[in-house]
Amino acid sequence: PPWKFTKSHAEATIGREAFCDVSQEKTSRVRCVAQSQHHVAWDRTPQRVLVLAKRHADDEELDVAYRIARHLHEACGVDVLLADPLYEQIGKRLPAVELWQGEHVSRSPDFVATLGGDGLLLYANTLFQATPPPPVVAFGAGSLGFLAPFDVDDEQTGGTVEETLDEAVSLGEGELEPWPVSLRMRLRCRVVDGASGKVVGGHEALNEVALDRGNSPFLSAVECFCNDEHLTTAQADGLIVATPTGSTAYSLSAGGPMVHPSVNAMVFTPICAHSLSFRPIVFPDSCTLRFDVDPDARADAWVTFDGRSRVCLKRGDSLIVTASPHPLPTVLRLGNTADWFGGLRTHFNFNVRRRQQKIAEQFLNG
Amino acid sequence: PPWKFTKSHAEATIGREAFCDVSQEKTSRVRCVAQSQHHVAWDRTPQRVLVLAKRHADDEELDVAYRIARHLHEACGVDVLLADPLYEQIGKRLPAVELWQGEHVSRSPDFVATLGGDGLLLYANTLFQATPPPPVVAFGAGSLGFLAPFDVDDEQTGGTVEETLDEAVSLGEGELEPWPVSLRMRLRCRVVDGASGKVVGGHEALNEVALDRGNSPFLSAVECFCNDEHLTTAQADGLIVATPTGSTAYSLSAGGPMVHPSVNAMVFTPICAHSLSFRPIVFPDSCTLRFDVDPDARADAWVTFDGRSRVCLKRGDSLIVTASPHPLPTVLRLGNTADWFGGLRTHFNFNVRRRQQKIAEQFLNG
Amino acid sequence: PPWKFTKSHAEATIGREAFCDVSQEKTSRVRCVAQSQHHVAWDRTPQRVLVLAKRHADDEELDVAYRIARHLHEACGVDVLLADPLYEQIGKRLPAVELWQGEHVSRSPDFVATLGGDGLLLYANTLFQATPPPPVVAFGAGSLGFLAPFDVDDEQTGGTVEETLDEAVSLGEGELEPWPVSLRMRLRCRVVDGASGKVVGGHEALNEVALDRGNSPFLSAVECFCNDEHLTTAQADGLIVATPTGSTAYSLSAGGPMVHPSVNAMVFTPICAHSLSFRPIVFPDSCTLRFDVDPDARADAWVTFDGRSRVCLKRGDSLIVTASPHPLPTVLRLGNTADWFGGLRTHFNFNVRRRQQKIAEQFLNG
Amino acid sequence: PPWKFTKSHAEATIGREAFCDVSQEKTSRVRCVAQSQHHVAWDRTPQRVLVLAKRHADDEELDVAYRIARHLHEACGVDVLLADPLYEQIGKRLPAVELWQGEHVSRSPDFVATLGGDGLLLYANTLFQATPPPPVVAFGAGSLGFLAPFDVDDEQTGGTVEETLDEAVSLGEGELEPWPVSLRMRLRCRVVDGASGKVVGGHEALNEVALDRGNSPFLSAVECFCNDEHLTTAQADGLIVATPTGSTAYSLSAGGPMVHPSVNAMVFTPICAHSLSFRPIVFPDSCTLRFDVDPDARADAWVTFDGRSRVCLKRGDSLIVTASPHPLPTVLRLGNTADWFGGLRTHFNFNVRRRQQKIAEQFLNG
């Protein structure tokens, strides 16, 4: 054909590190497709592992956490770090363990083992804000979630905590297959002060960043931009930018779509938009979203990262959201699609035929 | 870091041509981002152009179509092809034009110029089902749409049809910038006969493929798969798989999200699902969606491509949907984001502050 | 008829001023409120009872149906009617029972006892199209539904089928309280031929009447009126008018609200409306809704009553929907609100805290 | 009061059987239908009129307000009251007018004339919290709304402000028809202190009462009851109870249905409910809704009435919502249905065919 297509690279706007890009130069007649499955393998044997358990763990759960820490140390021969309060709770029984002192690139654990639900993963994410997070092997405590795919003692597959850990420290060794991993996109969120133009706050969010009206009656004069193109003046209770991981959490409650973890996208979901046309929008993760609070707005706005840390977005301030170059890698049990479908089944009753037939019954002759 | 991530390539399931893939081998700590803007330039001067106008064009529109064809032939020196009924309507006034005889790779036009709305682009898409479509330069007739970004005579920018065409035939020559282009994903849809296992029908859809119940009370026993993982047994009026281009059409009516044209995704939107948990799902365009009608289903289902050709999906049959390797390239006026926001403004009143204030008034003191 | 309904007045709970109730003639400064709970009592002892079971009843269910029929005849002393296929299935074991021959005012049963789910009630409703339906005492077979509140053998309350039936035939006698009853609104639907102006079809629908596009791509030029005021020209896949009873069935799937059975309303819910502003509308049951298919429409439309009988609405024809003067009375176990909440719990997991906590977990620290 | 309301009965349009109407005592086989149109007429000539204009009226609007006040005083011979700031702004030019001193039953105006949008009606409603509000004749300033049906100078009908006012003071006199009026339900909202059991706050809301989470991450342990039956434990950002009047305001933004003003109902709409099954619910206005904040909840909640006055609902407190016996009567131009459809047209583009065809174009051949 007489034409050729070229592609300009994704460019940084807020001083982010050089992104790798989809660097096909000549695509002539053929489209690129989205990322597919990643895998993880060890370049060298892991030496340090951080163990986390949910904050209000009961005795039974503490026992499992103890099993994890002990096995890692005694059988796998790695150094074990415990964060508080777990260090307080089981540290005495494990003299060799170390207290986690916060993130340092030089002393970053080689992987993280967690015992708890999706909330614990949000907590784990807060521990690696300045450095690239290590892979996470997540055991569900009682309830399996989207982010914790491993059973403690899987009666079906016969896998125990100890067996899973044995495999985790040996990934890619000998005949072992590399494990499927999800490089979970994080949102790099920056709060920019209107007066000084300086970044005064920020977060690498795993689920979502949300703007809300706090105690004022609605979001006041928030201008929304994508790559500096003006989209709309938000008239709403709030705005959510979610990752695919977060698409099944808060954004879903606000009417957003469910987004498969392999899609390179950010979901922009308004909360109670005054205009009926203002619907959830899926943006590519290569774009920069910006939210300016008008200097003459009637009220300030509020920003919340993953439902926790909450900061005020004053009149004149901006919130800038891009894809972080540093994802949170979580080890998968079966793969992106199978693990995610498992989460849909657990949380949303997908594919449970009994219920569907019941609901359908009203349409049919009894 | 001690770990490395590898990525398995997207693999063909239904004999599609080798896909280019996002072939970064080592991504260590950094995520790839979605495609960004593509551009188009000529490798050699275009020689053949197909001109299309909407079916029920009025006299004024036929005059513009005539201007387009004449200017391309007389001023730009290219061979002009006209499809029926336009050949009937204005062919006599342009002795040198040729009647479009259907798609042949060897005689494919170098680009297509259209005069009409989004519906005309859907029609243009049907003309290039077996071959990669050439780029389209689309003029809006009266109403600007998502797919037809060029004004006939733009009083704001001073651009006329003739000036736009002059630029189109010279893309990338001399000092001219290459034009931004959208490589619009198409859905490769295949109907597979249950008895023979053979592909008995198909379409490369630009907007969406829809399953519906026809005259039976609901979709009966349709099993939904992604990459051979079972998602759910659909209990619904229908199912839609839409491209980003189609996300603002039928899928939006059914509650689907708006998807920026740069997102590499397929939107899976149920119509009147019986389960309240069955919500729109965004899948990566690297996946294969499959829909099986159970051999024991109470009724057949129906498949519609872009709202037109309609075929029966009999008990035992399957519909398989993947991303087509051959996108429909449409030339953009400003770029992916700006053109798309223009469409949102035109169709959905985005960013029209007058209206928003009116609706907001009820919340405020008058 | 042998029964009468009484209505308890709305009563104040939090010291509000005495409300006028619907029977007040002069309302000067005070608003009337909606209907509250009705009750049913016998004017004379019931003599004829129709017994229905679901079409594909298994042996266990046939046994219960037999217990119902025998107890009514032997212990309660009433004449028992059975509809086919139940007459075929258990008639031989009950020599005195009679085959149901269709509705005749003169031979109408005094009440109906049913064993099955919501679908069976839709079937029961089809048996009383021309005459006012008698009260229905509905036993759930296995699954409790919105319309079948009575357990076959309630281990919690100790109530058996026999005890419930004993009470049913003695309502209001002696010290027995009259039973709460729901006078379930039916929709009187009339299809009017455009050429002759005559009513050519109709139905008294318990759940909903739905217009759909059949095999054409969308509803074509259907004009919607309320009390002869023009509301809109529908551009949609379909339109639903539902009763409060039907609000948790098809209309809910299309995005309609859940409507408490005491609300005197019709829910008008579009299916896949092309305009984002076309949202579900709740109309008073005193209004007349009319849908005209334009004589120049591109296609006919289709009408379905309670998901069953399906008729064509040709170009020029009209569908007229009003509240039927003849409701379907269903006996309640506890009352309108309590029984309905029970249905929400069973069908939609309302008030099941375990699930809610799980979903909430993602918002919280683990 | 000097006015009385009468109610026309629901009338048959398509030969249906004579309906019983709400005044019927014995309903045996026949259902009652919802209220239909009310009308207003004077029992004695009105003597005092309160005039209101929107807070930030421009000069042109102040001129119209002056015309209203002067005409009422000079031509109609009634005493005119002005509220601040209007008294400040135009009082000097009208020596005989009086400053509105707040509501007193003994000195209540006979009607209210307003110049402004829907927000002004919300303000007017706040002036009559303890006494039954008098009828309101509402002129739209610039934009017609749901609540302000009268044009200032209607070029279509030839009606001027003065002519409308002449008619307003003479309702039901001589040959004049009584005017259609909407007895707009208000919500009687009471905040009950958990410790003392006393009512510590309240409001008669015209649009809605909303519970929100303020600055806490979500509503915490709010128990929802209808007539003391437990519905659910709310896990959501907020909860709205709206009147039919308010159904097109905040509740609509949260996904609630549009409710015709004649429906006797309260709409209960969750905001971002965590459970996908928690959908908007329409309750009869005869019921009592109660919301208890658990004494052990993690956070307090907040209550807002019509988007204004905001109070804290502390742990242990309750909010109780019933229909107020005192509606806000607003005079209609044509009738409940026609005026409401006019509002839908103005606010939501209902029945604007040009737009609909545009959106539909994508489904059709151009």
Side-chain angles (χ1 to χ4, degrees), chain B residues 24-279:
Chain B
Q24 225 68 18
E25 266 312 300
K26 268 217 163 185
T27 56
S28 66
R29 286 156 172 259
V30 174
R31 271 184 80 253
C32 291
V33 295
Q35 281 185 21
S36 50
Q37 187 64 63
H38 289 83
H39 291 83
V40 63
W42 297 118
D43 262 356
R44 60 165 171 72
T45 307
Q47 292 162 359
R48 290 163 56 85
V49 179
L50 171 64
V51 177
L52 301 173
K54 63 189 219 191
R55 187 182 295 270
H56 301 288
D58 59 24
D59 286 348
E60 198 181 335
E61 288 157 351
L62 287 179
D63 264 354
V64 177
Y66 172 74
R67 276 170 60 195
I68 292 173
R70 193 186 57 184
H71 188 79
L72 280 170
H73 183 63
E74 296 184 359
C76 305
V78 304
D79 296 340
V80 171
L81 299 163
L82 298 180
D84 265 334
L86 191 60
Y87 184 81
E88 283 293 319
Q89 291 163 329
I90 66 168
K92 289 173 222 152
R93 298 160 67 190
L94 289 160
V97 300
E98 207 179 320
L99 176 65
W100 163 255
Q101 303 279 7
E103 67 184 314
H104 299 286
V105 174
S106 60
R107 294 175 52 81
S108 181
D110 292 335
F111 71 91
V112 182
T114 63
L115 178 73
D118 293 349
L120 181 58
L121 269 282
L122 293 181
Y123 171 70
N125 179 59
T126 64
L127 301 182
F128 300 93
Q129 290 286 302
T131 57
V136 179
V137 178
F139 296 94
S143 67
L144 300 185
F146 279 103
L147 299 174
F150 292 98
D151 276 329
V152 167
D153 292 297
D154 192 333
E155 297 183 0
Q156 251 186 318
T157 65
T160 61
V161 164
E162 285 80 7
E163 286 166 339
T164 303
L165 292 171
D166 284 343
E167 206 173 330
V169 294
S170 321
L171 287 180
E173 275 183 17
E175 294 171 16
L176 283 170
E177 299 269 324
W179 265 2
V181 73
S182 183
L183 298 188
R184 295 187 180 276
M185 178 227 222
R186 304 196 296 179
L187 296 172
R188 176 159 289 183
C189 309
R190 300 244 168 90
V191 175
V192 178
D193 179 69
S196 67
K198 289 199 178 145
V199 172
V200 293
H203 198 84
E204 306 262 310
L206 183 61
N207 264 356
E208 78 278 304
V209 54
L211 256 85
D212 72 68
R213 57 187 174 88
N215 279 314
S216 86
F218 54 88
L219 272 193
S220 172
V222 173
E223 305 292 340
C224 307
F225 298 86
C226 169
N227 295 341
D228 295 326
E229 298 281 345
H230 186 242
L231 170 63
T232 194
T233 307
Q235 293 275 10
D237 265 21
L239 300 172
I240 301 168
V241 181
T243 63
T245 299
S247 71
T248 48
Y250 191 17
S251 170
L252 188 71
S253 297
M258 294 164 163
V259 181
H260 186 286
S262 293
V263 180
N264 284 8
M266 304 193 255
V267 188
F268 176 50
T269 308
I271 303 172
C272 293
H274 296 187
S275 158
L276 299 180
S277 310
F278 193 175
R279 296 275 294 267

Side-chain angles (χ1 to χ4, degrees), chain A residues 139-163:
Chain A
F139 296 95
S143 68
L144 299 184
F146 278 104
L147 299 173
F150 292 100
D151 277 329
V152 167
D153 291 298
D154 192 335
E155 298 184 1
Q156 249 186 319
T157 67
T160 62
V161 164
E162 286 79 7
E163 286 166 338

